[in-house]
Amino acid sequence: MKIYLLRHAKADPGFPDSSRVLAPRGRQHASELGKFFTEDERLGPLEIWCSPLKRAQETALLFEKSWGGSILARHEVEQLEPEIDPEPLVEMISLASRDLLIVGHNPSLETLTSLLLSGERTRARVRLKTCGFICLEWNPLPNFGQFGPCELRWMFDPRLI
């Protein structure tokens, strides 16, 4: 199973934080990212887990619309909000049966990435820029105490498009 982690695209400043929307550049990056992966047969069909915050929801919808692939299910996941501990997500992911696209925020996505790769919150230092996209493969090892349950397949920065 593959786990795709997508940080929301660039958002406009605003208050309250939960109502912030994507900036024009953020909308462009989310759309371009989806379009870029249209030709990638390795991506999809997917189940989407998304933060309930507006900027993450917009990012997921723009990516999905321009990607045009098959979405099997969509879920709002409160544990993907910016300041919520992502550790319970590891157990949720372990119960999943299909590829996941997880759309959320920092610092929790960077912490989740470290947990999945190393089994520790800060051991694997990964910098995830806005609209950054990571592909992990679920491949737990018997010594889960020393390694996380995933392997890094690739990382992508939308500014490369």
Side-chain angles (χ1 to χ4, degrees), residues 69-157:
S70 177
I71 303 301
L72 303 172
R74 290 174 192 79
H75 304 282
E76 273 190 19
V77 179
E78 289 180 15
Q79 291 87 349
L80 288 168
E81 289 185 29
E83 300 300 325
I84 293 181
D85 181 10
E87 199 156 342
L89 286 168
V90 177
E91 178 67 25
M92 292 170 62
I93 291 168
S94 75
L95 301 173
S97 58
R98 51 186 160 212
D99 291 356
L100 299 173
L101 171 61
I102 298 174
V103 185
H105 313 265
N106 277 345
S108 53
L109 274 186
E110 289 176 349
T111 303
L112 177 61
T113 302
S114 182
L115 286 165
L116 292 170
L117 291 174
S118 72
E120 296 179 20
R121 302 175 66 80
T122 58
R123 188 173 185 191
R125 293 183 59 195
V126 175
R127 173 90 174 166
L128 194 56
K129 300 249 186 205
T130 54
C131 214
F133 201 35
I134 295 177
C135 176
L136 305 175
E137 187 161 356
W138 186 262
N139 188 17
L141 300 173
N143 62 350
F144 180 65
Q146 295 180 14
F147 301 104
C150 290
E151 298 174 341
L152 176 65
R153 302 317 268 158
W154 48 262
M155 290 181 69
F156 190 81
D157 186 323

Coordinates of all heavy atoms in Angstrom, one line a residue, residues 69-157:
G69 N -8.1 11.2 -11.6 CA -8.0 9.8 -11.3 C -9.3 9.3 -10.5 O -10.2 10.1 -10.3
S70 N -9.2 8.1 -10.1 CA -10.3 7.5 -9.4 C -10.2 7.6 -7.9 O -9.2 7.2 -7.3 CB -10.4 6.0 -9.8 OG -11.4 5.3 -9.1
I71 N -11.2 8.3 -7.3 CA -11.2 8.4 -5.9 C -12.3 7.5 -5.3 O -13.5 7.5 -5.7 CB -11.6 9.9 -5.5 CG1 -10.6 10.9 -6.1 CG2 -11.7 10.0 -4.0 CD1 -9.1 10.6 -5.7
L72 N -11.9 6.6 -4.5 CA -12.8 5.5 -4.0 C -13.5 6.0 -2.7 O -14.7 5.5 -2.5 CB -11.9 4.3 -3.6 CG -11.1 3.7 -4.8 CD1 -10.2 2.6 -4.3 CD2 -12.1 3.2 -5.9
A73 N -13.0 6.9 -1.9 CA -13.6 7.4 -0.7 C -13.0 8.7 -0.3 O -11.8 8.9 -0.5 CB -13.6 6.3 0.4
R74 N -13.7 9.5 0.4 CA -13.2 10.7 1.0 C -13.6 10.8 2.5 O -14.7 10.5 2.8 CB -13.8 12.0 0.3 CG -13.3 12.2 -1.1 CD -14.1 13.3 -1.7 NE -13.9 13.4 -3.1 CZ -14.5 12.6 -4.0 NH1 -15.4 11.7 -3.6 NH2 -14.2 12.7 -5.3
H75 N -12.6 11.2 3.3 CA -12.9 11.3 4.7 C -12.3 12.6 5.3 O -11.1 12.9 5.0 CB -12.4 10.1 5.5 CG -12.9 8.8 5.0 ND1 -14.1 8.3 5.3 CD2 -12.3 7.9 4.2 CE1 -14.3 7.2 4.7 NE2 -13.2 6.9 4.0
E76 N -13.0 13.4 6.1 CA -12.4 14.4 6.9 C -11.8 13.8 8.1 O -12.5 13.1 8.8 CB -13.5 15.5 7.2 CG -13.7 16.5 6.2 CD -14.5 17.7 6.8 OE1 -14.7 17.8 8.0 OE2 -15.1 18.4 5.9
V77 N -10.6 14.1 8.4 CA -9.9 13.5 9.6 C -9.4 14.6 10.5 O -8.5 15.3 10.1 CB -8.7 12.6 9.1 CG1 -8.0 12.0 10.2 CG2 -9.3 11.5 8.1
E78 N -10.0 14.7 11.6 CA -9.7 15.8 12.6 C -8.2 15.7 13.0 O -7.6 16.7 13.3 CB -10.6 15.8 13.8 CG -12.0 16.2 13.5 CD -12.9 16.2 14.7 OE1 -12.4 16.1 15.8 OE2 -14.1 16.2 14.5
Q79 N -7.6 14.5 13.1 CA -6.2 14.3 13.5 C -5.3 15.0 12.5 O -4.1 15.0 12.8 CB -5.9 12.9 13.7 CG -6.6 12.2 14.9 CD -8.0 11.7 14.5 OE1 -8.5 11.9 13.4 NE2 -8.5 10.9 15.4
L80 N -5.7 15.5 11.4 CA -4.9 16.1 10.4 C -4.9 17.6 10.6 O -4.2 18.3 9.8 CB -5.3 15.8 9.0 CG -5.0 14.3 8.6 CD1 -5.7 14.0 7.3 CD2 -3.5 14.1 8.4
E81 N -5.5 18.2 11.6 CA -5.5 19.6 11.8 C -4.1 20.0 12.2 O -3.3 19.1 12.8 CB -6.5 20.0 12.8 CG -7.9 19.9 12.3 CD -9.0 20.4 13.3 OE1 -8.7 21.3 14.1 OE2 -10.1 19.9 13.2
P82 N -3.7 21.2 12.1 CA -2.3 21.6 12.2 C -1.6 21.3 13.6 O -0.5 20.8 13.6 CB -2.3 23.1 12.0 CG -3.5 23.4 11.3 CD -4.5 22.3 11.6
E83 N -2.3 21.5 14.7 CA -1.6 21.4 16.0 C -2.0 20.1 16.7 O -1.7 19.9 17.9 CB -1.9 22.6 16.9 CG -1.4 23.9 16.3 CD 0.1 23.9 16.0 OE1 0.9 23.3 16.8 OE2 0.5 24.5 15.0
I84 N -2.7 19.2 16.1 CA -3.1 17.9 16.7 C -2.0 16.8 16.5 O -1.4 16.7 15.4 CB -4.4 17.4 16.1 CG1 -5.5 18.4 16.6 CG2 -4.8 16.0 16.6 CD1 -6.9 18.1 16.1
D85 N -1.8 16.1 17.6 CA -0.7 15.0 17.6 C -1.1 14.0 16.5 O -2.2 13.4 16.5 CB -0.7 14.4 18.9 CG 0.4 13.3 19.0 OD1 1.2 13.1 18.1 OD2 0.4 12.5 20.0
P86 N -0.2 13.8 15.5 CA -0.5 12.8 14.4 C -0.2 11.4 14.8 O -0.5 10.5 14.0 CB 0.4 13.3 13.3 CG 1.6 13.8 14.0 CD 1.1 14.5 15.3
E87 N 0.3 11.1 16.0 CA 0.6 9.7 16.3 C -0.5 8.7 16.2 O -0.3 7.6 15.6 CB 1.2 9.6 17.7 CG 2.0 8.4 17.9 CD 3.0 8.5 19.0 OE1 3.4 9.6 19.4 OE2 3.5 7.4 19.5
P88 N -1.8 9.0 16.5 CA -2.9 8.1 16.3 C -3.1 7.7 14.8 O -3.7 6.7 14.5 CB -4.1 8.8 16.9 CG -3.5 9.8 17.9 CD -2.2 10.2 17.3
L89 N -2.6 8.6 13.9 CA -2.8 8.3 12.5 C -2.0 7.1 12.1 O -2.4 6.4 11.1 CB -2.4 9.5 11.7 CG -3.3 10.7 11.7 CD1 -2.7 11.9 11.1 CD2 -4.6 10.4 10.9
V90 N -0.9 6.8 12.7 CA -0.1 5.6 12.3 C -1.0 4.4 12.5 O -1.0 3.5 11.6 CB 1.2 5.5 13.1 CG1 2.0 4.3 12.8 CG2 2.1 6.8 12.9
E91 N -1.7 4.3 13.6 CA -2.5 3.1 13.8 C -3.7 3.1 12.8 O -4.0 2.0 12.2 CB -3.1 3.1 15.2 CG -4.1 2.0 15.5 CD -3.4 0.6 15.5 OE1 -2.2 0.5 15.7 OE2 -4.1 -0.4 15.2
M92 N -4.3 4.3 12.5 CA -5.3 4.3 11.5 C -4.9 3.9 10.1 O -5.5 3.2 9.4 CB -5.9 5.8 11.4 CG -6.6 6.2 12.7 SD -7.0 8.0 12.7 CE -8.1 8.1 11.3
I93 N -3.6 4.3 9.8 CA -3.1 4.0 8.5 C -2.8 2.5 8.4 O -3.1 1.8 7.4 CB -1.8 4.8 8.2 CG1 -2.1 6.3 8.0 CG2 -1.0 4.2 7.0 CD1 -0.9 7.2 8.0
S94 N -2.4 1.9 9.5 CA -2.1 0.5 9.5 C -3.3 -0.4 9.2 O -3.2 -1.5 8.8 CB -1.5 0.0 10.9 OG -2.4 0.0 11.9
L95 N -4.5 0.2 9.5 CA -5.8 -0.5 9.3 C -6.3 -0.3 7.9 O -7.3 -1.0 7.5 CB -6.8 -0.1 10.3 CG -6.4 -0.4 11.8 CD1 -7.4 0.2 12.7 CD2 -6.2 -1.9 12.0
A96 N -5.7 0.6 7.1 CA -6.2 0.9 5.8 C -5.9 -0.2 4.8 O -4.9 -1.0 5.0 CB -5.6 2.2 5.2
S97 N -6.8 -0.4 3.8 CA -6.6 -1.5 2.9 C -6.3 -1.0 1.5 O -6.1 -1.9 0.6 CB -7.9 -2.3 2.9 OG -9.0 -1.6 2.5
R98 N -6.2 0.3 1.2 CA -5.9 0.7 -0.1 C -5.0 2.0 0.0 O -4.8 2.6 1.0 CB -7.2 1.0 -0.9 CG -8.1 1.9 -0.2 CD -9.4 2.0 -1.0 NE -10.5 2.4 -0.1 CZ -11.8 2.0 -0.3 NH1 -12.1 1.3 -1.3 NH2 -12.7 2.5 0.5
D99 N -4.5 2.4 -1.2 CA -3.6 3.6 -1.2 C -4.3 4.8 -0.7 O -5.5 5.0 -0.9 CB -3.1 3.8 -2.7 CG -2.2 2.8 -3.2 OD1 -1.8 1.9 -2.4 OD2 -1.8 2.9 -4.4
L100 N -3.6 5.6 0.1 CA -4.2 6.8 0.7 C -3.5 8.1 0.2 O -2.3 8.1 0.0 CB -3.9 6.7 2.2 CG -4.6 5.6 3.0 CD1 -4.1 5.6 4.4 CD2 -6.1 5.7 2.9
L101 N -4.3 9.1 0.0 CA -3.8 10.4 -0.2 C -4.2 11.2 1.1 O -5.4 11.3 1.4 CB -4.4 11.1 -1.4 CG -4.1 12.6 -1.6 CD1 -2.6 12.9 -1.7 CD2 -4.8 13.2 -2.8
I102 N -3.2 11.6 1.8 CA -3.4 12.3 3.1 C -3.0 13.8 2.9 O -1.9 14.1 2.6 CB -2.6 11.7 4.2 CG1 -3.1 10.2 4.4 CG2 -2.8 12.5 5.5 CD1 -2.3 9.5 5.4
V103 N -4.0 14.7 3.1 CA -3.8 16.1 2.9 C -3.9 16.9 4.2 O -5.0 16.8 4.9 CB -4.8 16.7 1.9 CG1 -4.5 18.2 1.6 CG2 -4.8 15.9 0.6
G104 N -2.9 17.5 4.6 CA -2.9 18.2 5.9 C -1.9 19.4 6.0 O -1.7 20.0 5.0
H105 N -1.4 19.6 7.2 CA -0.6 20.8 7.5 C 0.7 20.4 8.2 O 0.8 19.4 8.8 CB -1.5 21.7 8.5 CG -2.9 21.8 8.1 ND1 -3.3 22.9 7.3 CD2 -4.0 21.1 8.2 CE1 -4.6 22.8 7.1 NE2 -5.0 21.7 7.6
N106 N 1.6 21.4 8.3 CA 2.7 21.3 9.2 C 2.4 21.9 10.5 O 1.5 22.8 10.5 CB 3.9 22.0 8.5 CG 4.7 21.1 7.6 OD1 4.5 19.9 7.5 ND2 5.5 21.7 6.8
P107 N 3.0 21.5 11.6 CA 4.1 20.6 11.7 C 3.6 19.1 11.7 O 4.5 18.2 11.7 CB 4.7 21.0 13.0 CG 3.6 21.5 13.8 CD 2.6 22.2 12.8
S108 N 2.3 18.9 11.8 CA 1.9 17.5 12.0 C 2.3 16.6 10.8 O 2.6 15.4 11.0 CB 0.4 17.4 12.3 OG -0.4 18.1 11.3
L109 N 2.3 17.0 9.6 CA 2.6 16.2 8.5 C 4.1 15.8 8.5 O 4.5 14.6 8.2 CB 2.3 16.8 7.1 CG 0.9 16.6 6.6 CD1 0.8 17.1 5.1 CD2 0.4 15.1 6.6
E110 N 5.0 16.7 8.9 CA 6.4 16.4 9.0 C 6.6 15.4 10.2 O 7.4 14.5 10.0 CB 7.2 17.7 9.2 CG 7.3 18.5 8.0 CD 8.0 19.9 8.2 OE1 8.3 20.2 9.4 OE2 8.3 20.5 7.2
T111 N 5.9 15.6 11.3 CA 6.0 14.6 12.4 C 5.4 13.3 12.0 O 6.1 12.2 12.3 CB 5.2 15.2 13.6 OG1 5.7 16.4 14.0 CG2 5.3 14.2 14.8
L112 N 4.3 13.2 11.3 CA 3.8 12.0 10.8 C 4.8 11.3 9.8 O 5.0 10.1 9.9 CB 2.4 12.2 10.0 CG 1.8 11.0 9.4 CD1 1.4 9.9 10.5 CD2 0.5 11.4 8.6
T113 N 5.4 12.0 9.0 CA 6.4 11.4 8.1 C 7.5 10.8 8.9 O 7.9 9.7 8.6 CB 7.0 12.5 7.1 OG1 5.9 13.1 6.4 CG2 8.0 11.9 6.2
S114 N 8.0 11.5 9.9 CA 9.1 10.9 10.7 C 8.6 9.6 11.5 O 9.3 8.6 11.5 CB 9.6 11.9 11.8 OG 10.6 11.4 12.5
L115 N 7.4 9.7 12.0 CA 6.8 8.5 12.7 C 6.8 7.3 11.7 O 7.1 6.2 12.0 CB 5.5 8.8 13.2 CG 5.4 9.7 14.5 CD1 4.0 10.2 14.7 CD2 5.9 8.9 15.7
L116 N 6.3 7.6 10.5 CA 6.2 6.5 9.5 C 7.5 5.9 9.0 O 7.6 4.8 8.7 CB 5.3 6.9 8.3 CG 3.8 7.2 8.7 CD1 3.1 7.9 7.5 CD2 3.1 5.9 9.0
L117 N 8.5 6.8 8.9 CA 9.8 6.4 8.4 C 10.7 5.8 9.5 O 11.5 4.9 9.2 CB 10.5 7.5 7.7 CG 9.9 8.0 6.4 CD1 10.6 9.2 5.9 CD2 10.0 6.9 5.4
S118 N 10.7 6.4 10.7 CA 11.7 6.0 11.7 C 11.1 5.5 13.0 O 11.8 4.9 13.8 CB 12.5 7.3 12.1 OG 11.7 8.2 12.8
G119 N 9.8 5.6 13.2 CA 9.1 5.2 14.4 C 9.2 6.2 15.5 O 8.8 6.0 16.6
E120 N 9.9 7.3 15.2 CA 10.1 8.4 16.2 C 9.6 9.7 15.6 O 9.7 9.9 14.4 CB 11.5 8.5 16.6 CG 12.1 7.3 17.4 CD 13.5 7.4 17.7 OE1 14.0 8.5 17.8 OE2 14.1 6.4 18.0
R121 N 9.2 10.6 16.5 CA 8.6 11.9 16.1 C 9.6 12.8 15.4 O 9.2 13.6 14.5 CB 8.0 12.6 17.3 CG 7.0 11.8 18.0 CD 6.5 12.5 19.3 NE 5.8 13.8 19.0 CZ 4.6 13.9 18.6 NH1 3.8 12.8 18.5 NH2 4.0 15.0 18.4
T122 N 10.9 12.8 15.8 CA 11.8 13.8 15.2 C 13.1 13.1 14.6 O 14.0 13.8 14.2 CB 12.2 14.8 16.3 OG1 12.8 14.1 17.4 CG2 11.1 15.6 16.7
R123 N 13.1 11.8 14.5 CA 14.3 11.2 14.0 C 14.6 11.4 12.5 O 15.7 11.6 12.1 CB 14.2 9.7 14.3 CG 15.5 8.9 14.0 CD 15.3 7.5 14.5 NE 16.5 6.8 14.4 CZ 16.6 5.5 14.5 NH1 15.6 4.8 14.8 NH2 17.8 4.9 14.3
A124 N 13.5 11.3 11.7 CA 13.7 11.5 10.3 C 13.2 13.0 10.0 O 12.0 13.3 10.1 CB 12.8 10.6 9.5
R125 N 14.2 13.8 9.8 CA 13.9 15.2 9.6 C 13.5 15.4 8.1 O 14.4 15.4 7.2 CB 15.0 16.1 10.0 CG 15.2 16.0 11.5 CD 16.3 16.9 12.0 NE 16.0 18.3 11.6 CZ 16.9 19.3 11.6 NH1 18.1 19.0 12.0 NH2 16.6 20.5 11.3
V126 N 12.3 15.8 7.8 CA 11.8 16.0 6.5 C 11.2 17.4 6.4 O 10.4 17.7 7.3 CB 10.7 14.9 6.1 CG1 10.2 15.2 4.7 CG2 11.3 13.5 6.1
R127 N 11.6 18.1 5.5 CA 11.1 19.5 5.3 C 10.0 19.4 4.2 O 10.3 19.1 3.1 CB 12.2 20.5 4.9 CG 11.7 21.8 4.6 CD 11.7 22.7 5.7 NE 11.4 24.0 5.3 CZ 11.0 25.0 6.0 NH1 10.9 24.8 7.3 NH2 10.7 26.2 5.5
L128 N 8.8 19.7 4.5 CA 7.7 19.6 3.6 C 7.1 21.0 3.3 O 6.5 21.6 4.1 CB 6.6 18.7 4.1 CG 5.5 18.3 3.2 CD1 6.1 17.5 2.0 CD2 4.6 17.3 3.9
K129 N 7.5 21.6 2.2 CA 7.1 22.9 1.8 C 5.6 22.9 1.4 O 5.0 21.8 1.2 CB 7.9 23.4 0.5 CG 9.4 23.5 0.8 CD 9.7 24.9 0.8 CE 11.2 25.0 1.0 NZ 11.6 26.3 1.5
T130 N 5.0 24.0 1.2 CA 3.6 24.1 0.8 C 3.4 23.3 -0.5 O 4.2 23.5 -1.5 CB 3.0 25.5 0.7 OG1 3.9 26.3 -0.2 CG2 2.9 26.2 2.0
C131 N 2.4 22.5 -0.6 CA 2.1 21.7 -1.8 C 3.2 20.6 -2.1 O 3.2 20.1 -3.1 CB 1.8 22.5 -3.0 SG 0.5 21.8 -4.1
G132 N 4.0 20.4 -1.1 CA 5.0 19.3 -1.2 C 4.3 18.0 -1.2 O 3.3 17.8 -0.5
F133 N 4.8 17.0 -1.9 CA 4.1 15.7 -2.1 C 5.1 14.6 -1.8 O 6.2 14.6 -2.4 CB 3.7 15.7 -3.5 CG 2.6 14.7 -3.9 CD1 1.6 14.4 -3.0 CD2 2.5 14.1 -5.1 CE1 0.5 13.5 -3.3 CE2 1.5 13.3 -5.5 CZ 0.5 13.0 -4.6
I134 N 4.8 13.7 -1.0 CA 5.7 12.6 -0.6 C 5.0 11.3 -0.8 O 3.8 11.1 -0.6 CB 6.1 12.6 0.9 CG1 6.9 13.9 1.2 CG2 6.8 11.4 1.4 CD1 7.2 14.1 2.7
C135 N 5.7 10.3 -1.3 CA 5.1 8.9 -1.5 C 5.9 8.0 -0.6 O 7.1 7.9 -0.7 CB 5.3 8.5 -2.9 SG 4.7 6.7 -3.2
L136 N 5.2 7.3 0.3 CA 5.7 6.3 1.2 C 5.1 5.0 0.8 O 4.0 4.9 0.3 CB 5.4 6.6 2.7 CG 5.9 8.0 3.2 CD1 5.4 8.2 4.6 CD2 7.4 8.1 3.1
E137 N 5.8 3.9 1.1 CA 5.3 2.6 0.9 C 5.2 1.9 2.2 O 6.2 1.8 3.0 CB 6.1 1.7 -0.1 CG 5.4 0.4 -0.4 CD 5.9 -0.2 -1.7 OE1 6.8 0.5 -2.4 OE2 5.5 -1.3 -2.0
W138 N 4.0 1.4 2.6 CA 3.8 0.6 3.8 C 4.5 -0.7 3.7 O 4.2 -1.5 2.8 CB 2.3 0.4 4.0 CG 2.0 -0.2 5.4 CD1 1.7 -1.5 5.6 CD2 1.9 0.5 6.6 NE1 1.5 -1.7 7.0 CE2 1.6 -0.5 7.6 CE3 2.0 1.8 7.0 CZ2 1.4 -0.1 8.9 CZ3 1.9 2.2 8.3 CH2 1.6 1.2 9.3
N139 N 5.5 -0.9 4.5 CA 6.3 -2.1 4.5 C 6.9 -2.4 5.9 O 8.1 -2.2 6.1 CB 7.4 -2.0 3.4 CG 8.1 -3.3 3.2 OD1 7.7 -4.3 3.6 ND2 9.3 -3.2 2.6
P140 N 6.0 -2.7 6.9 CA 6.5 -2.8 8.2 C 7.5 -4.0 8.4 O 7.4 -5.0 7.7 CB 5.3 -3.1 9.1 CG 4.2 -3.4 8.1 CD 4.6 -3.0 6.7
L141 N 8.5 -3.7 9.2 CA 9.6 -4.7 9.5 C 9.3 -5.3 10.9 O 8.7 -4.7 11.7 CB 10.9 -4.1 9.4 CG 11.4 -3.5 8.1 CD1 12.7 -2.7 8.2 CD2 11.5 -4.5 7.0
P142 N 9.8 -6.5 11.1 CA 9.5 -7.1 12.4 C 10.1 -6.3 13.6 O 9.7 -6.4 14.7 CB 10.3 -8.5 12.4 CG 10.5 -8.7 10.9 CD 10.5 -7.4 10.2
N143 N 11.1 -5.5 13.4 CA 11.7 -4.7 14.4 C 11.2 -3.3 14.5 O 11.9 -2.3 14.5 CB 13.2 -4.7 14.3 CG 13.7 -4.0 13.0 OD1 12.9 -3.8 12.1 ND2 14.9 -3.8 12.9
F144 N 9.9 -3.1 14.5 CA 9.2 -1.8 14.5 C 9.7 -0.8 15.5 O 9.6 0.4 15.3 CB 7.7 -2.0 14.6 CG 6.9 -0.7 14.5 CD1 6.9 0.0 13.3 CD2 6.2 -0.2 15.6 CE1 6.2 1.2 13.3 CE2 5.5 0.9 15.5 CZ 5.5 1.7 14.4
G145 N 10.4 -1.3 16.5 CA 10.9 -0.3 17.5 C 12.1 0.5 17.0 O 12.3 1.6 17.5
Q146 N 12.8 0.0 16.0 CA 13.9 0.7 15.5 C 13.7 1.4 14.1 O 14.4 2.3 13.8 CB 15.1 -0.3 15.3 CG 15.6 -0.8 16.6 CD 16.7 -1.8 16.4 OE1 17.4 -1.8 15.4 NE2 17.1 -2.5 17.5
F147 N 12.7 0.9 13.4 CA 12.3 1.5 12.1 C 10.8 1.8 12.1 O 10.1 1.1 12.8 CB 12.7 0.6 11.0 CG 14.1 0.2 10.9 CD1 14.6 -1.0 11.3 CD2 15.0 1.1 10.4 CE1 15.9 -1.4 11.2 CE2 16.4 0.8 10.3 CZ 16.8 -0.4 10.7
G148 N 10.4 2.7 11.3 CA 9.0 2.9 11.1 C 8.4 1.9 10.1 O 9.2 1.1 9.5
P149 N 7.1 1.9 9.9 CA 6.5 0.9 9.1 C 6.6 1.2 7.6 O 6.0 0.5 6.8 CB 5.1 0.9 9.6 CG 4.8 2.3 10.1 CD 6.2 2.7 10.7
C150 N 7.2 2.4 7.2 CA 7.2 2.8 5.8 C 8.6 3.0 5.3 O 9.5 3.2 6.0 CB 6.4 4.1 5.6 SG 4.6 3.9 5.9
E151 N 8.7 3.0 3.9 CA 9.9 3.3 3.2 C 9.6 4.5 2.3 O 8.5 4.6 1.8 CB 10.3 2.2 2.3 CG 10.6 0.9 2.9 CD 10.9 -0.2 1.9 OE1 10.4 -0.1 0.7 OE2 11.5 -1.2 2.3
L152 N 10.5 5.4 2.2 CA 10.4 6.6 1.3 C 10.5 6.1 -0.1 O 11.5 5.5 -0.4 CB 11.4 7.7 1.7 CG 11.4 8.9 0.8 CD1 10.1 9.7 0.9 CD2 12.6 9.8 1.1
R153 N 9.6 6.4 -1.0 CA 9.7 6.1 -2.4 C 10.2 7.3 -3.1 O 11.0 7.2 -4.0 CB 8.3 5.6 -3.0 CG 7.8 4.4 -2.3 CD 8.8 3.3 -2.0 NE 8.9 2.4 -3.0 CZ 9.9 1.6 -3.2 NH1 11.0 1.7 -2.5 NH2 10.0 0.7 -4.2
W154 N 9.5 8.5 -2.9 CA 10.0 9.7 -3.5 C 9.3 10.9 -2.9 O 8.4 10.8 -2.1 CB 9.7 9.7 -5.0 CG 8.3 9.3 -5.5 CD1 7.9 8.1 -5.9 CD2 7.1 10.1 -5.5 NE1 6.6 8.1 -6.2 CE2 6.0 9.3 -5.9 CE3 6.8 11.4 -5.1 CZ2 4.7 9.8 -6.1 CZ3 5.5 11.9 -5.2 CH2 4.5 11.1 -5.7
M155 N 9.9 12.1 -3.2 CA 9.4 13.4 -2.7 C 9.3 14.3 -3.9 O 10.2 14.2 -4.8 CB 10.3 14.1 -1.7 CG 10.3 13.4 -0.3 SD 11.4 14.2 0.9 CE 10.5 15.7 1.1
F156 N 8.4 15.2 -3.9 CA 8.2 16.1 -5.1 C 7.8 17.5 -4.6 O 7.0 17.7 -3.8 CB 7.1 15.6 -6.0 CG 7.1 16.3 -7.3 CD1 7.9 15.9 -8.4 CD2 6.1 17.3 -7.5 CE1 7.9 16.6 -9.6 CE2 6.1 17.9 -8.8 CZ 7.0 17.6 -9.8
D157 N 8.5 18.5 -5.2 CA 8.2 19.9 -4.9 C 7.5 20.5 -6.1 O 8.1 20.4 -7.2 CB 9.5 20.6 -4.6 CG 9.3 22.1 -4.2 OD1 8.4 22.8 -4.7 OD2 10.1 22.5 -3.3

